[in-house]
Amino acid sequence: MIIVFNKSGQFCNRILLFAHCIASAVKYKQRVFHMFFKDLDGYVCKEDKTEGKVGYSKKSNLLLCRINEKIINKRTREKQCKVSQKKANSVKKRRGIHIIWNWYYRDYPALFEQRDAVLAFLKPKAVYFKKAEENISKNKGDAQILVGLHIRRGDYIAWQGGKHYYDDAAYLGFMKQFADNCAGKKVKFFVCSNEKINIRYFTDNGINVFEGTGDFIEDIVSLSFCDYVMGPPSTFSWWAAYIGMNKYYQIECVGEQIVPDKFSTVEDERFFV
């Protein structure tokens, strides 16, 4: 049995961890149980295509959450990654109880192989798909290519020294580069962010663009509907591209060339998060 004993990170970090654990459980014929799923419960479908292999606690488990935080805080990220890799290898080789303490557990081969079972349980509820589809249908117009752009701000001003905290001018450059390399096709951008977007800055500079509804789950679904998805390294845009299996690209730095040929699906190891 795989026990997810971790509540660190934002929504997509936590969903992605559970996705890997579900995939491993299905592939290696084990069960998986999430100790801290209660606050994620209302957002996802929870359709079980695993023959009862997935379970979760319906309680908040606040005391256990504090215990987990103390364990995580005592370990560096590098050490946590090493521990998680050993755990992944252990799950493949033997049965027994496997406790996942941090969010670095990864099993990408199983994640893609068992995608149908994973998404049946963890994809957003139908109401979010309906609202996202309505917003896109209303705003796409006659565009031949729809590009989803995730403008990640907020905590990224400090994460990795602000390396991936790009300003509006940088994003404008990324968008123009992409559009200029689409062989004359009409390109429109869907943009979403965890901060307020100055949408007029982009339209005043010749970009055909519209923004999301402001609901973060609807933004994930909207990205999944796009032909291409791009943004700085983030589980938010990665999870959206996993749902939609559309073309995806992680923007690593200001000044890099953003062209359609660089995009691939999330199965590309360059984009593993």
mmCIF file of all heavy atoms in Angstrom, residues 148-196:
data_model
loop_
_atom_site.group_PDB
_atom_site.id
_atom_site.type_symbol
_atom_site.label_atom_id
_atom_site.label_comp_id
_atom_site.label_asym_id
_atom_site.label_seq_id
_atom_site.Cartn_x
_atom_site.Cartn_y
_atom_site.Cartn_z
ATOM 1 N N GLY A 148 -2.281 29.009 -24.964
ATOM 2 C CA GLY A 148 -2.488 29.292 -23.553
ATOM 3 C C GLY A 148 -1.188 29.738 -22.914
ATOM 4 O O GLY A 148 -0.165 29.057 -23.013
ATOM 5 N N LEU A 149 -1.206 30.896 -22.271
ATOM 6 C CA LEU A 149 -0.018 31.432 -21.605
ATOM 7 C C LEU A 149 -0.284 31.573 -20.110
ATOM 8 O O LEU A 149 -1.191 32.290 -19.703
ATOM 9 C CB LEU A 149 0.360 32.791 -22.201
ATOM 10 C CG LEU A 149 1.489 33.551 -21.480
ATOM 11 C CD1 LEU A 149 2.797 32.767 -21.543
ATOM 12 C CD2 LEU A 149 1.661 34.936 -22.079
ATOM 13 N N HIS A 150 0.509 30.884 -19.319
ATOM 14 C CA HIS A 150 0.414 31.000 -17.871
ATOM 15 C C HIS A 150 1.449 32.006 -17.397
ATOM 16 O O HIS A 150 2.656 31.776 -17.491
ATOM 17 C CB HIS A 150 0.671 29.631 -17.219
ATOM 18 C CG HIS A 150 0.653 29.668 -15.726
ATOM 19 N ND1 HIS A 150 1.487 28.899 -14.949
ATOM 20 C CD2 HIS A 150 -0.118 30.387 -14.856
ATOM 21 C CE1 HIS A 150 1.248 29.122 -13.676
ATOM 22 N NE2 HIS A 150 0.279 30.026 -13.596
ATOM 23 N N ILE A 151 0.997 33.150 -16.919
ATOM 24 C CA ILE A 151 1.881 34.192 -16.378
ATOM 25 C C ILE A 151 1.994 33.964 -14.874
ATOM 26 O O ILE A 151 1.129 34.384 -14.104
ATOM 27 C CB ILE A 151 1.332 35.598 -16.701
ATOM 28 C CG1 ILE A 151 1.268 35.803 -18.212
ATOM 29 C CG2 ILE A 151 2.193 36.669 -16.043
ATOM 30 C CD1 ILE A 151 0.705 37.152 -18.634
ATOM 31 N N ARG A 152 3.036 33.275 -14.473
ATOM 32 C CA ARG A 152 3.190 32.927 -13.055
ATOM 33 C C ARG A 152 3.887 34.069 -12.327
ATOM 34 O O ARG A 152 4.998 34.445 -12.647
ATOM 35 C CB ARG A 152 3.991 31.635 -12.904
ATOM 36 C CG ARG A 152 4.176 31.180 -11.445
ATOM 37 C CD ARG A 152 2.853 30.860 -10.775
ATOM 38 N NE ARG A 152 3.041 30.545 -9.366
ATOM 39 C CZ ARG A 152 3.157 29.313 -8.868
ATOM 40 N NH1 ARG A 152 3.099 28.271 -9.693
ATOM 41 N NH2 ARG A 152 3.327 29.107 -7.584
ATOM 42 N N ARG A 153 3.235 34.590 -11.329
ATOM 43 C CA ARG A 153 3.788 35.685 -10.533
ATOM 44 C C ARG A 153 3.771 35.267 -9.055
ATOM 45 O O ARG A 153 4.157 34.169 -8.712
ATOM 46 C CB ARG A 153 2.975 36.964 -10.790
ATOM 47 C CG ARG A 153 3.065 37.461 -12.256
ATOM 48 C CD ARG A 153 4.240 38.390 -12.448
ATOM 49 N NE ARG A 153 4.499 38.760 -13.827
ATOM 50 C CZ ARG A 153 3.841 39.649 -14.548
ATOM 51 N NH1 ARG A 153 2.780 40.257 -14.049
ATOM 52 N NH2 ARG A 153 4.228 39.946 -15.766
ATOM 53 N N GLY A 154 3.322 36.152 -8.175
ATOM 54 C CA GLY A 154 3.218 35.803 -6.755
ATOM 55 C C GLY A 154 4.532 35.345 -6.160
ATOM 56 O O GLY A 154 5.528 36.084 -6.169
ATOM 57 N N ASP A 155 4.568 34.103 -5.666
ATOM 58 C CA ASP A 155 5.739 33.573 -4.981
ATOM 59 C C ASP A 155 6.954 33.419 -5.894
ATOM 60 O O ASP A 155 8.080 33.257 -5.418
ATOM 61 C CB ASP A 155 5.417 32.224 -4.341
ATOM 62 C CG ASP A 155 4.924 31.188 -5.353
ATOM 63 O OD1 ASP A 155 4.371 31.586 -6.389
ATOM 64 O OD2 ASP A 155 5.087 29.986 -5.078
ATOM 65 N N TYR A 156 6.762 33.518 -7.212
ATOM 66 C CA TYR A 156 7.896 33.358 -8.128
ATOM 67 C C TYR A 156 8.863 34.532 -8.076
ATOM 68 O O TYR A 156 9.963 34.455 -8.616
ATOM 69 C CB TYR A 156 7.391 33.156 -9.565
ATOM 70 C CG TYR A 156 7.224 31.692 -9.918
ATOM 71 C CD1 TYR A 156 6.753 30.784 -8.971
ATOM 72 C CD2 TYR A 156 7.533 31.200 -11.178
ATOM 73 C CE1 TYR A 156 6.588 29.445 -9.275
ATOM 74 C CE2 TYR A 156 7.375 29.862 -11.489
ATOM 75 C CZ TYR A 156 6.897 28.982 -10.536
ATOM 76 O OH TYR A 156 6.747 27.654 -10.849
ATOM 77 N N ILE A 157 8.482 35.609 -7.424
ATOM 78 C CA ILE A 157 9.404 36.736 -7.283
ATOM 79 C C ILE A 157 10.587 36.358 -6.394
ATOM 80 O O ILE A 157 11.669 36.932 -6.491
ATOM 81 C CB ILE A 157 8.664 37.974 -6.718
ATOM 82 C CG1 ILE A 157 9.500 39.243 -6.973
ATOM 83 C CG2 ILE A 157 8.341 37.808 -5.230
ATOM 84 C CD1 ILE A 157 8.753 40.528 -6.727
ATOM 85 N N ALA A 158 10.376 35.344 -5.542
ATOM 86 C CA ALA A 158 11.444 34.889 -4.643
ATOM 87 C C ALA A 158 11.962 33.499 -5.008
ATOM 88 O O ALA A 158 13.135 33.191 -4.775
ATOM 89 C CB ALA A 158 10.939 34.878 -3.203
ATOM 90 N N TRP A 159 11.115 32.646 -5.582
ATOM 91 C CA TRP A 159 11.504 31.270 -5.880
ATOM 92 C C TRP A 159 12.676 31.241 -6.869
ATOM 93 O O TRP A 159 12.645 31.894 -7.897
ATOM 94 C CB TRP A 159 10.316 30.505 -6.466
ATOM 95 C CG TRP A 159 10.595 29.054 -6.701
ATOM 96 C CD1 TRP A 159 10.911 28.118 -5.771
ATOM 97 C CD2 TRP A 159 10.594 28.381 -7.970
ATOM 98 N NE1 TRP A 159 11.104 26.888 -6.377
ATOM 99 C CE2 TRP A 159 10.921 27.016 -7.725
ATOM 100 C CE3 TRP A 159 10.339 28.784 -9.275
ATOM 101 C CZ2 TRP A 159 11.002 26.070 -8.739
ATOM 102 C CZ3 TRP A 159 10.422 27.841 -10.301
ATOM 103 C CH2 TRP A 159 10.741 26.507 -10.025
ATOM 104 N N GLN A 160 13.722 30.529 -6.509
ATOM 105 C CA GLN A 160 14.949 30.444 -7.300
ATOM 106 C C GLN A 160 15.501 31.827 -7.639
ATOM 107 O O GLN A 160 15.990 32.069 -8.755
ATOM 108 C CB GLN A 160 14.730 29.626 -8.578
ATOM 109 C CG GLN A 160 14.461 28.152 -8.307
ATOM 110 C CD GLN A 160 14.574 27.283 -9.544
ATOM 111 O OE1 GLN A 160 14.786 27.767 -10.652
ATOM 112 N NE2 GLN A 160 14.439 25.979 -9.366
ATOM 113 N N GLY A 161 15.375 32.736 -6.664
ATOM 114 C CA GLY A 161 15.920 34.076 -6.837
ATOM 115 C C GLY A 161 15.202 34.917 -7.865
ATOM 116 O O GLY A 161 15.760 35.886 -8.408
ATOM 117 N N GLY A 162 13.934 34.568 -8.150
ATOM 118 C CA GLY A 162 13.157 35.336 -9.124
ATOM 119 C C GLY A 162 13.506 35.020 -10.567
ATOM 120 O O GLY A 162 13.109 35.754 -11.492
ATOM 121 N N LYS A 163 14.208 33.916 -10.790
ATOM 122 C CA LYS A 163 14.672 33.537 -12.134
ATOM 123 C C LYS A 163 13.545 33.459 -13.159
ATOM 124 O O LYS A 163 13.717 33.816 -14.321
ATOM 125 C CB LYS A 163 15.384 32.191 -12.045
ATOM 126 C CG LYS A 163 15.866 31.639 -13.371
ATOM 127 C CD LYS A 163 16.508 30.270 -13.180
ATOM 128 C CE LYS A 163 16.925 29.662 -14.519
ATOM 129 N NZ LYS A 163 17.521 28.311 -14.335
ATOM 130 N N HIS A 164 12.369 32.990 -12.726
ATOM 131 C CA HIS A 164 11.252 32.784 -13.655
ATOM 132 C C HIS A 164 10.119 33.804 -13.450
ATOM 133 O O HIS A 164 8.998 33.569 -13.899
ATOM 134 C CB HIS A 164 10.706 31.371 -13.504
ATOM 135 C CG HIS A 164 11.732 30.305 -13.748
ATOM 136 N ND1 HIS A 164 12.363 30.142 -14.961
ATOM 137 C CD2 HIS A 164 12.246 29.361 -12.928
ATOM 138 C CE1 HIS A 164 13.223 29.130 -14.876
ATOM 139 N NE2 HIS A 164 13.168 28.645 -13.663
ATOM 140 N N TYR A 165 10.439 34.901 -12.775
ATOM 141 C CA TYR A 165 9.450 35.963 -12.581
ATOM 142 C C TYR A 165 9.640 36.984 -13.703
ATOM 143 O O TYR A 165 10.442 37.912 -13.593
ATOM 144 C CB TYR A 165 9.639 36.617 -11.209
ATOM 145 C CG TYR A 165 8.536 37.578 -10.821
ATOM 146 C CD1 TYR A 165 7.435 37.137 -10.104
ATOM 147 C CD2 TYR A 165 8.603 38.938 -11.150
ATOM 148 C CE1 TYR A 165 6.425 38.007 -9.726
ATOM 149 C CE2 TYR A 165 7.592 39.813 -10.787
ATOM 150 C CZ TYR A 165 6.506 39.340 -10.080
ATOM 151 O OH TYR A 165 5.501 40.213 -9.705
ATOM 152 N N TYR A 166 8.909 36.801 -14.807
ATOM 153 C CA TYR A 166 9.095 37.649 -15.983
ATOM 154 C C TYR A 166 8.123 38.824 -15.963
ATOM 155 O O TYR A 166 6.970 38.687 -15.554
ATOM 156 C CB TYR A 166 8.876 36.832 -17.263
ATOM 157 C CG TYR A 166 9.630 35.516 -17.297
ATOM 158 C CD1 TYR A 166 8.981 34.337 -17.660
ATOM 159 C CD2 TYR A 166 10.982 35.452 -16.971
ATOM 160 C CE1 TYR A 166 9.666 33.118 -17.705
ATOM 161 C CE2 TYR A 166 11.670 34.245 -17.000
ATOM 162 C CZ TYR A 166 11.008 33.074 -17.365
ATOM 163 O OH TYR A 166 11.673 31.883 -17.394
ATOM 164 N N ASP A 167 8.581 39.970 -16.462
ATOM 165 C CA ASP A 167 7.698 41.140 -16.512
ATOM 166 C C ASP A 167 6.853 41.102 -17.785
ATOM 167 O O ASP A 167 7.012 40.224 -18.647
ATOM 168 C CB ASP A 167 8.498 42.446 -16.409
ATOM 169 C CG ASP A 167 9.510 42.635 -17.542
ATOM 170 O OD1 ASP A 167 9.388 41.947 -18.587
ATOM 171 O OD2 ASP A 167 10.426 43.472 -17.386
ATOM 172 N N ASP A 168 5.942 42.071 -17.910
ATOM 173 C CA ASP A 168 5.023 42.097 -19.049
ATOM 174 C C ASP A 168 5.765 42.222 -20.383
ATOM 175 O O ASP A 168 5.358 41.639 -21.391
ATOM 176 C CB ASP A 168 4.030 43.249 -18.905
ATOM 177 C CG ASP A 168 2.975 42.989 -17.840
ATOM 178 O OD1 ASP A 168 2.871 41.826 -17.396
ATOM 179 O OD2 ASP A 168 2.258 43.935 -17.464
ATOM 180 N N ALA A 169 6.854 42.988 -20.390
ATOM 181 C CA ALA A 169 7.618 43.174 -21.629
ATOM 182 C C ALA A 169 8.201 41.837 -22.105
ATOM 183 O O ALA A 169 8.234 41.562 -23.312
ATOM 184 C CB ALA A 169 8.727 44.190 -21.415
ATOM 185 N N ALA A 170 8.648 41.019 -21.161
ATOM 186 C CA ALA A 170 9.199 39.711 -21.526
ATOM 187 C C ALA A 170 8.109 38.821 -22.110
ATOM 188 O O ALA A 170 8.305 38.164 -23.142
ATOM 189 C CB ALA A 170 9.832 39.052 -20.305
ATOM 190 N N TYR A 171 6.945 38.804 -21.462
ATOM 191 C CA TYR A 171 5.843 37.983 -21.976
ATOM 192 C C TYR A 171 5.370 38.480 -23.339
ATOM 193 O O TYR A 171 5.019 37.684 -24.217
ATOM 194 C CB TYR A 171 4.689 37.955 -20.977
ATOM 195 C CG TYR A 171 4.916 36.992 -19.839
ATOM 196 C CD1 TYR A 171 5.130 37.454 -18.542
ATOM 197 C CD2 TYR A 171 4.927 35.612 -20.046
ATOM 198 C CE1 TYR A 171 5.354 36.571 -17.493
ATOM 199 C CE2 TYR A 171 5.139 34.724 -19.013
ATOM 200 C CZ TYR A 171 5.354 35.203 -17.729
ATOM 201 O OH TYR A 171 5.579 34.326 -16.703
ATOM 202 N N LEU A 172 5.360 39.793 -23.519
ATOM 203 C CA LEU A 172 5.002 40.349 -24.821
ATOM 204 C C LEU A 172 5.954 39.838 -25.900
ATOM 205 O O LEU A 172 5.525 39.448 -26.991
ATOM 206 C CB LEU A 172 5.035 41.881 -24.766
ATOM 207 C CG LEU A 172 4.770 42.606 -26.083
ATOM 208 C CD1 LEU A 172 3.351 42.350 -26.569
ATOM 209 C CD2 LEU A 172 5.027 44.115 -25.923
ATOM 210 N N GLY A 173 7.234 39.801 -25.569
ATOM 211 C CA GLY A 173 8.228 39.302 -26.514
ATOM 212 C C GLY A 173 8.004 37.830 -26.851
ATOM 213 O O GLY A 173 8.100 37.434 -28.019
ATOM 214 N N PHE A 174 7.699 37.028 -25.846
ATOM 215 C CA PHE A 174 7.429 35.608 -26.080
ATOM 216 C C PHE A 174 6.237 35.431 -27.029
ATOM 217 O O PHE A 174 6.265 34.603 -27.955
ATOM 218 C CB PHE A 174 7.128 34.887 -24.762
ATOM 219 C CG PHE A 174 8.232 34.916 -23.741
ATOM 220 C CD1 PHE A 174 7.944 34.997 -22.377
ATOM 221 C CD2 PHE A 174 9.560 34.863 -24.131
ATOM 222 C CE1 PHE A 174 8.951 35.011 -21.431
ATOM 223 C CE2 PHE A 174 10.593 34.883 -23.187
ATOM 224 C CZ PHE A 174 10.282 34.964 -21.837
ATOM 225 N N MET A 175 5.195 36.207 -26.780
ATOM 226 C CA MET A 175 3.974 36.094 -27.582
ATOM 227 C C MET A 175 4.215 36.518 -29.026
ATOM 228 O O MET A 175 3.754 35.865 -29.973
ATOM 229 C CB MET A 175 2.857 36.920 -26.929
ATOM 230 C CG MET A 175 2.464 36.403 -25.539
ATOM 231 S SD MET A 175 1.626 37.643 -24.515
ATOM 232 C CE MET A 175 -0.072 37.405 -24.997
ATOM 233 N N LYS A 176 4.928 37.611 -29.208
ATOM 234 C CA LYS A 176 5.204 38.095 -30.563
ATOM 235 C C LYS A 176 6.061 37.102 -31.333
ATOM 236 O O LYS A 176 5.816 36.845 -32.521
ATOM 237 C CB LYS A 176 5.896 39.459 -30.503
ATOM 238 C CG LYS A 176 4.943 40.618 -30.214
ATOM 239 C CD LYS A 176 5.634 41.960 -30.372
ATOM 240 C CE LYS A 176 4.635 43.107 -30.285
ATOM 241 N NZ LYS A 176 5.293 44.422 -30.465
ATOM 242 N N GLN A 177 7.069 36.536 -30.665
ATOM 243 C CA GLN A 177 7.926 35.547 -31.322
ATOM 244 C C GLN A 177 7.106 34.360 -31.811
ATOM 245 O O GLN A 177 7.268 33.904 -32.951
ATOM 246 C CB GLN A 177 8.987 35.038 -30.348
ATOM 247 C CG GLN A 177 10.159 35.959 -30.134
ATOM 248 C CD GLN A 177 11.157 35.350 -29.164
ATOM 249 O OE1 GLN A 177 11.225 34.135 -29.008
ATOM 250 N NE2 GLN A 177 11.917 36.198 -28.504
ATOM 251 N N PHE A 178 6.234 33.864 -30.956
ATOM 252 C CA PHE A 178 5.424 32.708 -31.336
ATOM 253 C C PHE A 178 4.526 33.056 -32.520
ATOM 254 O O PHE A 178 4.490 32.333 -33.518
ATOM 255 C CB PHE A 178 4.577 32.235 -30.158
ATOM 256 C CG PHE A 178 3.818 30.968 -30.446
ATOM 257 C CD1 PHE A 178 4.337 29.740 -30.086
ATOM 258 C CD2 PHE A 178 2.585 30.999 -31.096
ATOM 259 C CE1 PHE A 178 3.652 28.565 -30.375
ATOM 260 C CE2 PHE A 178 1.896 29.839 -31.398
ATOM 261 C CZ PHE A 178 2.431 28.613 -31.030
ATOM 262 N N ALA A 179 3.792 34.161 -32.410
ATOM 263 C CA ALA A 179 2.842 34.541 -33.457
ATOM 264 C C ALA A 179 3.544 34.785 -34.792
ATOM 265 O O ALA A 179 3.013 34.447 -35.858
ATOM 266 C CB ALA A 179 2.069 35.781 -33.031
ATOM 267 N N ASP A 180 4.754 35.357 -34.758
ATOM 268 C CA ASP A 180 5.494 35.664 -35.980
ATOM 269 C C ASP A 180 6.002 34.406 -36.685
ATOM 270 O O ASP A 180 6.451 34.476 -37.829
ATOM 271 C CB ASP A 180 6.678 36.582 -35.670
ATOM 272 C CG ASP A 180 6.239 37.998 -35.320
ATOM 273 O OD1 ASP A 180 5.068 38.329 -35.577
ATOM 274 O OD2 ASP A 180 7.068 38.753 -34.764
ATOM 275 N N ASN A 181 5.957 33.275 -35.985
ATOM 276 C CA ASN A 181 6.472 32.031 -36.559
ATOM 277 C C ASN A 181 5.360 31.014 -36.838
ATOM 278 O O ASN A 181 5.601 29.801 -36.831
ATOM 279 C CB ASN A 181 7.510 31.413 -35.631
ATOM 280 C CG ASN A 181 8.851 32.111 -35.703
ATOM 281 O OD1 ASN A 181 9.661 31.822 -36.568
ATOM 282 N ND2 ASN A 181 9.068 33.057 -34.794
ATOM 283 N N CYS A 182 4.157 31.522 -37.106
ATOM 284 C CA CYS A 182 3.010 30.637 -37.361
ATOM 285 C C CYS A 182 2.530 30.679 -38.803
ATOM 286 O O CYS A 182 1.344 30.437 -39.073
ATOM 287 C CB CYS A 182 1.868 30.988 -36.403
ATOM 288 S SG CYS A 182 2.172 30.409 -34.727
ATOM 289 N N ALA A 183 3.420 31.003 -39.689
ATOM 290 C CA ALA A 183 3.148 30.941 -41.133
ATOM 291 C C ALA A 183 1.887 31.694 -41.540
ATOM 292 O O ALA A 183 1.101 31.228 -42.368
ATOM 293 C CB ALA A 183 3.052 29.477 -41.581
ATOM 294 N N GLY A 184 1.688 32.866 -40.945
ATOM 295 C CA GLY A 184 0.579 33.713 -41.338
ATOM 296 C C GLY A 184 -0.782 33.318 -40.783
ATOM 297 O O GLY A 184 -1.787 33.958 -41.097
ATOM 298 N N LYS A 185 -0.839 32.275 -39.977
ATOM 299 C CA LYS A 185 -2.121 31.863 -39.393
ATOM 300 C C LYS A 185 -2.546 32.836 -38.287
ATOM 301 O O LYS A 185 -1.704 33.463 -37.635
ATOM 302 C CB LYS A 185 -2.010 30.450 -38.825
ATOM 303 C CG LYS A 185 -1.836 29.382 -39.887
ATOM 304 C CD LYS A 185 -1.818 27.989 -39.272
ATOM 305 C CE LYS A 185 -1.688 26.924 -40.347
ATOM 306 N NZ LYS A 185 -1.647 25.558 -39.754
ATOM 307 N N LYS A 186 -3.854 32.946 -38.092
ATOM 308 C CA LYS A 186 -4.376 33.831 -37.045
ATOM 309 C C LYS A 186 -4.184 33.187 -35.677
ATOM 310 O O LYS A 186 -4.685 32.090 -35.421
ATOM 311 C CB LYS A 186 -5.858 34.115 -37.288
ATOM 312 C CG LYS A 186 -6.123 34.930 -38.552
ATOM 313 C CD LYS A 186 -7.604 35.229 -38.717
ATOM 314 C CE LYS A 186 -7.848 36.061 -39.964
ATOM 315 N NZ LYS A 186 -9.308 36.349 -40.164
ATOM 316 N N VAL A 187 -3.451 33.875 -34.825
ATOM 317 C CA VAL A 187 -3.114 33.353 -33.496
ATOM 318 C C VAL A 187 -3.792 34.202 -32.431
ATOM 319 O O VAL A 187 -3.791 35.440 -32.500
ATOM 320 C CB VAL A 187 -1.585 33.368 -33.263
ATOM 321 C CG1 VAL A 187 -1.246 32.851 -31.869
ATOM 322 C CG2 VAL A 187 -0.873 32.550 -34.329
ATOM 323 N N LYS A 188 -4.367 33.547 -31.458
ATOM 324 C CA LYS A 188 -4.936 34.259 -30.321
ATOM 325 C C LYS A 188 -4.402 33.623 -29.042
ATOM 326 O O LYS A 188 -4.183 32.408 -28.982
ATOM 327 C CB LYS A 188 -6.469 34.208 -30.335
ATOM 328 C CG LYS A 188 -7.115 35.219 -29.370
ATOM 329 C CD LYS A 188 -8.571 35.475 -29.726
ATOM 330 C CE LYS A 188 -9.106 36.680 -28.945
ATOM 331 N NZ LYS A 188 -10.469 37.058 -29.359
ATOM 332 N N PHE A 189 -4.198 34.459 -28.029
ATOM 333 C CA PHE A 189 -3.646 33.996 -26.764
ATOM 334 C C PHE A 189 -4.697 34.040 -25.657
ATOM 335 O O PHE A 189 -5.420 35.030 -25.513
ATOM 336 C CB PHE A 189 -2.447 34.856 -26.352
ATOM 337 C CG PHE A 189 -1.249 34.685 -27.234
ATOM 338 C CD1 PHE A 189 -1.102 35.457 -28.379
ATOM 339 C CD2 PHE A 189 -0.270 33.752 -26.928
ATOM 340 C CE1 PHE A 189 0.000 35.312 -29.203
ATOM 341 C CE2 PHE A 189 0.836 33.590 -27.746
ATOM 342 C CZ PHE A 189 0.973 34.370 -28.886
ATOM 343 N N PHE A 190 -4.763 32.957 -24.924
ATOM 344 C CA PHE A 190 -5.514 32.926 -23.666
ATOM 345 C C PHE A 190 -4.491 33.061 -22.554
ATOM 346 O O PHE A 190 -3.527 32.287 -22.496
ATOM 347 C CB PHE A 190 -6.273 31.603 -23.509
ATOM 348 C CG PHE A 190 -6.712 31.335 -22.090
ATOM 349 C CD1 PHE A 190 -7.847 31.931 -21.577
ATOM 350 C CD2 PHE A 190 -5.960 30.501 -21.270
ATOM 351 C CE1 PHE A 190 -8.231 31.702 -20.259
ATOM 352 C CE2 PHE A 190 -6.338 30.264 -19.957
ATOM 353 C CZ PHE A 190 -7.477 30.875 -19.451
ATOM 354 N N VAL A 191 -4.658 34.054 -21.671
ATOM 355 C CA VAL A 191 -3.685 34.254 -20.597
ATOM 356 C C VAL A 191 -4.362 34.140 -19.234
ATOM 357 O O VAL A 191 -5.513 34.547 -19.049
ATOM 358 C CB VAL A 191 -2.965 35.622 -20.708
ATOM 359 C CG1 VAL A 191 -2.135 35.682 -21.968
ATOM 360 C CG2 VAL A 191 -3.949 36.774 -20.653
ATOM 361 N N CYS A 192 -3.630 33.561 -18.307
ATOM 362 C CA CYS A 192 -4.111 33.465 -16.926
ATOM 363 C C CYS A 192 -2.931 33.658 -15.987
ATOM 364 O O CYS A 192 -1.774 33.470 -16.379
ATOM 365 C CB CYS A 192 -4.793 32.118 -16.670
ATOM 366 S SG CYS A 192 -3.741 30.675 -16.941
ATOM 367 N N SER A 193 -3.223 34.040 -14.766
ATOM 368 C CA SER A 193 -2.155 34.340 -13.818
ATOM 369 C C SER A 193 -2.688 34.239 -12.392
ATOM 370 O O SER A 193 -3.904 34.232 -12.165
ATOM 371 C CB SER A 193 -1.615 35.756 -14.067
ATOM 372 O OG SER A 193 -0.616 36.089 -13.130
ATOM 373 N N ASN A 194 -1.758 34.168 -11.440
ATOM 374 C CA ASN A 194 -2.145 34.236 -10.030
ATOM 375 C C ASN A 194 -2.077 35.674 -9.515
ATOM 376 O O ASN A 194 -2.163 35.915 -8.311
ATOM 377 C CB ASN A 194 -1.274 33.319 -9.177
ATOM 378 C CG ASN A 194 0.215 33.585 -9.338
ATOM 379 O OD1 ASN A 194 0.660 34.140 -10.348
ATOM 380 N ND2 ASN A 194 0.996 33.189 -8.347
ATOM 381 N N GLU A 195 -1.922 36.631 -10.422
ATOM 382 C CA GLU A 195 -2.020 38.057 -10.112
ATOM 383 C C GLU A 195 -2.862 38.728 -11.199
ATOM 384 O O GLU A 195 -3.067 38.163 -12.271
ATOM 385 C CB GLU A 195 -0.638 38.722 -10.058
ATOM 386 C CG GLU A 195 0.170 38.372 -8.829
ATOM 387 C CD GLU A 195 1.441 39.198 -8.723
ATOM 388 O OE1 GLU A 195 1.709 40.034 -9.626
ATOM 389 O OE2 GLU A 195 2.177 39.014 -7.743
ATOM 390 N N LYS A 196 -3.319 39.936 -10.938
ATOM 391 C CA LYS A 196 -4.109 40.676 -11.925
ATOM 392 C C LYS A 196 -3.257 40.955 -13.160
ATOM 393 O O LYS A 196 -2.107 41.367 -13.054
ATOM 394 C CB LYS A 196 -4.622 41.987 -11.325
ATOM 395 C CG LYS A 196 -5.556 42.755 -12.252
ATOM 396 C CD LYS A 196 -6.150 43.957 -11.550
ATOM 397 C CE LYS A 196 -7.023 44.773 -12.501
ATOM 398 N NZ LYS A 196 -8.119 43.979 -13.086
#
